[in-house]
């Protein structure tokens, strides 16, 4: 694709997968090649090359439904920071999103929040990443299913159709539900840790029971990006040895309004997917 910006912004393809993965790995992020594939196959990935062979920065947009676009994977190699690549790519993603009349969403770190505010993003949800360890023990309290109902609940709670993301997660680890199927936990493997989320339900105690049983079942490091509203779950995570890793702030630019349903998001899919 021809350059589209003063920073020589180009659209990447799956041929650039190895370099994209290297960006997230060098940044210490959790994404795998399977995560990047979702952006390449269902969205659009932009980049800046420092040389014809070296990818210096990236940013991705993935549409959900008819009016939401998720912006993420805004990454710049350490040696190329301070040149405006990240901001230039972010603005390019916004142009792509606004040209399609989509509301742009992202989950911001504290370092990124001032940049996004300056571009017109406004905050909504507060989220905290908790990190701990799974116990790797057999559990008989979980039901694992690939049910269509689980996707339906998750899409309703999120406010847009992102079935392709949920189906990808389900192939990597079976969807986990409570006994009465009113709480759903999606899980996926990551480069550094398992990521629990999204967690969908309408009863905090039931969701906690499901999350705790899942932690018992998983082996190795575990991340869960929990909405700050759910203090009792956070308290239990502390008891299970989890610690706060970092905060996120959900922000949007556009008019999309989340419709109220009986299903609530308790933990997100991760800042890269919302």
């Amino acid at each position: 694709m021809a350059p589209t910006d003063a920073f020589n912004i180009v659209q990447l393809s799956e041929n650039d997968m190895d370099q994209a993965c290297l960006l997230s790995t060098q940044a210490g992020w959790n994404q795998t090649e399977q995560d990047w594939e979702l952006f390449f196959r269902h969205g659009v990935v932009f980049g800046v090359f420092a040389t014809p062979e070296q990818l210096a920065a990236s940013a991705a947009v993935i549409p959900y439904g008819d009016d939401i676009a998720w912006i993420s994977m805004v990454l710049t190699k350490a040696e190329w920071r301070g040149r405006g690549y990240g901001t230039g790519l972010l603005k390019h993603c916004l142009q792509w999103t606004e040209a399609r009349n989509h509301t742009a969403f992202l989950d911001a770190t504290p370092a990124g929040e001032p940049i996004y505010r300056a571009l017109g993003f406004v905050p909504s949800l507060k989220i905290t990443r908790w990190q701990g360890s799974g116990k790797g023990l057999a559990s008989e309290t979980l039901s694992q299913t690939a049910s269509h109902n689980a996707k339906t609940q998750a899409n309703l709670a999120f406010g847009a159709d992102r079935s392709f993301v949920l189906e990808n997660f389900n192939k990597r680890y079976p969807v986990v539900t409570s006994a009465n199927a009113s709480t759903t936990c999606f899980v996926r493997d990551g480069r550094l840790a398992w990521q629990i989320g999204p967690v969908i339900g309408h009863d905090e105690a039931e969701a906690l029971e499901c999350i705790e049983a899942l932690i018992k079942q998983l082996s190795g490091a575990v991340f869960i990006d929990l909405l700050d509203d759910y203090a009792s779950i956070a308290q239990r995570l502390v008891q299970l040895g989890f610690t706060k890793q970092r905060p996120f702030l959900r922000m949007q630019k556009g008019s999309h309004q989340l419709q109220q349903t009986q299903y609530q998001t308790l933990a997100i899919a991760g800042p890269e997917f919302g």
Side-chain angles (χ1 to χ4, degrees):
M1 182 176 177
T4 57
D5 190 274
F7 299 110
N8 196 31
I9 293 174
V10 298
Q11 183 173 337
L12 305 182
S13 73
E14 288 191 62
N15 293 331
D16 302 303
M17 177 74 75
D18 288 346
Q19 293 212 60
C21 288
L22 184 60
L23 281 178
S24 55
T25 297
Q26 289 184 342
W29 289 12
N30 196 38
Q31 290 78 26
T32 66
E33 183 172 313
Q34 286 178 293
D35 294 322
W36 274 104
E37 283 176 352
L38 285 167
F39 292 101
F40 280 111
R41 295 180 183 180
H42 297 278
V44 59
V45 183
F46 298 111
V48 174
F49 282 87
T51 70
E53 296 80 26
Q54 185 180 13
L55 181 65
S58 70
V61 187
I62 193 164
Y64 292 145
D66 296 328
D67 62 351
I68 286 179
W70 202 267
I71 298 177
S72 62
M73 308 311 292
V74 182
L75 288 155
T76 303
K77 280 187 175 179
E79 62 267 35
W80 298 103
R81 290 174 187 162
R83 299 168 185 249
Y85 292 164
T87 301
L89 283 162
L90 177 61
K91 289 179 178 178
H92 194 74
C93 288
L94 276 174
Q95 290 170 3
W96 187 94
T97 299
E98 291 169 353
R100 290 157 180 80
N101 295 315
H102 282 34
T103 294
F105 280 84
L106 53 79
D107 287 333
T109 63
E113 180 188 342
I115 298 171
Y116 303 131
R117 284 185 184 273
L119 291 172
F121 282 84
V122 295
S124 55
L125 302 176
K126 293 183 177 180
I127 302 156
T128 297
R129 169 162 292 179
W130 293 85
Q131 179 175 353
S133 297
K135 309 306 178 186
L137 302 174
S139 173
E140 298 178 356
T141 62
L142 296 178
S143 171
Q144 293 184 307
T145 177
S147 80
H148 173 75
N149 191 48
K151 286 191 300 181
T152 300
Q153 292 176 4
N155 285 332
L156 285 171
F158 183 72
D161 185 359
R162 52 176 180 172
S163 295
F164 61 88
V165 170
L166 303 173
E167 289 165 1
N168 176 276
F169 291 0
N170 185 57
K171 289 178 182 177
R172 292 156 67 174
Y173 197 93
V175 176
V176 172
T177 61
S178 58
N180 63 4
S182 64
T183 297
T184 299
C185 296
F186 288 83
V187 189
R188 63 186 161 101
D189 55 319
R191 190 180 65 85
L192 302 173
W194 292 100
Q195 178 88 44
I196 297 176
V199 177
I200 308 299
H202 51 75
D203 183 277
E204 189 169 350
E206 184 178 282
L208 176 55
E209 182 180 353
C210 193
I211 291 169
E212 188 170 347
L214 183 56
I215 290 169
K216 180 181 178 183
Q217 181 174 297
L218 295 171
S219 297
V222 176
F223 293 160
I224 180 166
D225 296 338
L226 183 71
L227 271 65
D228 287 0
D229 294 338
Y230 298 106
S232 66
I233 297 178
Q235 291 169 4
R236 181 57 181 152
L237 289 174
V238 171
Q239 294 171 356
L240 291 170
F242 279 65
T243 57
K244 291 183 179 182
Q245 189 194 74
R246 67 176 70 177
F248 296 105
L249 182 64
R250 179 153 300 176
M251 307 183 79
Q252 74 178 75
K253 185 179 182 183
S255 59
H256 178 84
Q257 296 295 319
L258 181 64
Q259 301 298 313
Q260 294 296 317
T261 76
Q262 62 177 312
Y263 301 106
Q264 303 296 321
T265 299
L266 292 87
I268 65 169
E272 62 272 74
F273 295 113

